[in-house]
Amino acid sequence: VPSSELLNAFLKGKEKLYSSQIIELKFREKVYGWRNQEIYIKFKNGRIYHAPIWVDNFYRLFTNNYILRDSCYACRFSSMERQGDITIGDFWNLKNVNEAFEDKLGVSSVIINSEKGEKVFETLKNKFDIIECSLNEINQKNLNSPSPKPYHYEEFQRMIEKKGFEYCLKKYGSMKMLEKIRRVLSPVKQRLKAMLRH
């Protein structure tokens, strides 16, 4: 999750920009599906701000690990040696495992870590659509190690102190030209791939 201090700074900046109080915030709005998530903010004056997570500067800082909470960089639970009976999380690799099982709102992975967890799961599993996978197929970075700090993390922290958060939002969160070009060309690439398959 993002640093609460920097999230508050971002939201106050939006309230100032829109001259209105925020009355609703959806950090991962999935109206267009989980692969096209948006940040959604509604203001008291009726105005709405929304942007895809790869466009919004704050969200880009978040996904690039600049503004996580300190505990995320040193999480002692980022290990396959799980503490609980059941682990539930996002199934990021689903497309590579079983694309037909994908859902617009996302699919969860469930890892059974103990006999107790298995008993609980057995009583509930008929309420869900389930496919069985290996641990390798479900595995992801944060099940093995804490979130890494980006290369420019220390510089980013110094610049927040020196020039403020709004400056850093633009400097470190803005899309670079090469990425903008890649984003524009990506749909064309996908269409070409689809045409070649058929």
Side-chain angles (χ1 to χ4, degrees):
V1 292
S3 153
S4 54
E5 180 186 350
L6 296 181
L7 177 59
N8 285 335
F10 168 71
L11 296 178
K12 283 179 182 176
K14 287 295 181 194
E15 286 184 330
K16 184 177 179 182
L17 182 65
Y18 281 76
S19 303
S20 184
Q21 181 183 357
I22 292 171
I23 59 170
E24 187 178 1
L25 168 66
K26 295 179 184 176
F27 198 57
R28 292 181 174 89
E29 173 60 77
K30 298 179 184 177
V31 68
Y32 300 114
W34 77 276
R35 290 190 184 276
N36 296 291
Q37 294 177 54
E38 289 195 329
I39 185 166
Y40 172 97
I41 303 173
K42 186 175 182 179
F43 298 87
K44 200 170 185 178
N45 62 11
R47 296 179 70 188
I48 290 172
Y49 168 81
H50 66 101
I53 59 176
W54 60 85
V55 172
D56 179 81
N57 290 3
F58 181 83
Y59 216 109
R60 288 172 60 80
L61 288 180
F62 172 66
T63 55
N64 288 322
N65 292 354
Y66 278 102
I67 56 172
L68 306 183
R69 295 185 182 184
D70 290 340
S71 56
C72 295
Y73 303 116
C75 180
R76 59 193 177 95
F77 301 108
S78 292
S79 163
M80 286 305 286
E81 298 296 320
R82 308 304 299 161
Q83 304 294 312
D85 298 300
I86 294 175
T87 300
I88 301 174
D90 295 322
F91 197 158
W92 292 107
N93 302 326
L94 179 65
K95 197 171 183 180
N96 300 327
V97 176
N98 189 330
E99 192 171 359
F101 198 73
E102 185 155 338
D103 181 86
K104 179 183 176 183
L105 296 178
V107 174
S108 296
S109 62
V110 179
I111 304 173
I112 310 301
N113 304 314
S114 69
E115 286 185 23
K116 181 180 177 182
E118 189 170 5
K119 286 177 183 175
V120 170
F121 185 71
E122 285 296 320
T123 65
L124 299 171
K125 70 178 187 179
N126 292 332
K127 299 179 184 294
F128 302 97
D129 295 323
I130 296 170
I131 55 170
E132 191 170 334
C133 304
S134 70
L135 278 177
N136 281 340
E137 290 171 324
I138 271 180
N139 208 346
Q140 56 175 286
K141 289 179 182 177
N142 284 127
L143 280 173
N144 297 283
S145 60
S147 298
K149 291 179 179 178
Y151 182 75
H152 294 292
Y153 179 80
E154 301 301 334
E155 176 188 281
F156 173 78
Q157 294 297 322
R158 288 195 301 272
M159 294 307 285
I160 284 182
E161 292 294 322
K162 188 176 178 181
K163 297 207 171 185
F165 185 57
E166 289 296 324
Y167 172 86
C168 289
L169 262 180
K170 187 173 181 181
K171 178 175 173 62
Y172 297 91
S174 296
M175 230 188 285
K176 303 296 184 283
M177 184 55 69
L178 279 176
E179 186 180 353
K180 287 180 180 178
I181 293 169
R182 184 173 62 81
R183 292 280 179 191
V184 169
L185 293 178
S186 181
V188 177
K189 183 180 174 183
Q190 295 302 321
R191 283 198 293 271
L192 285 173
K193 278 185 178 179
M195 286 168 63
L196 290 172
R197 281 198 300 265
H198 301 295

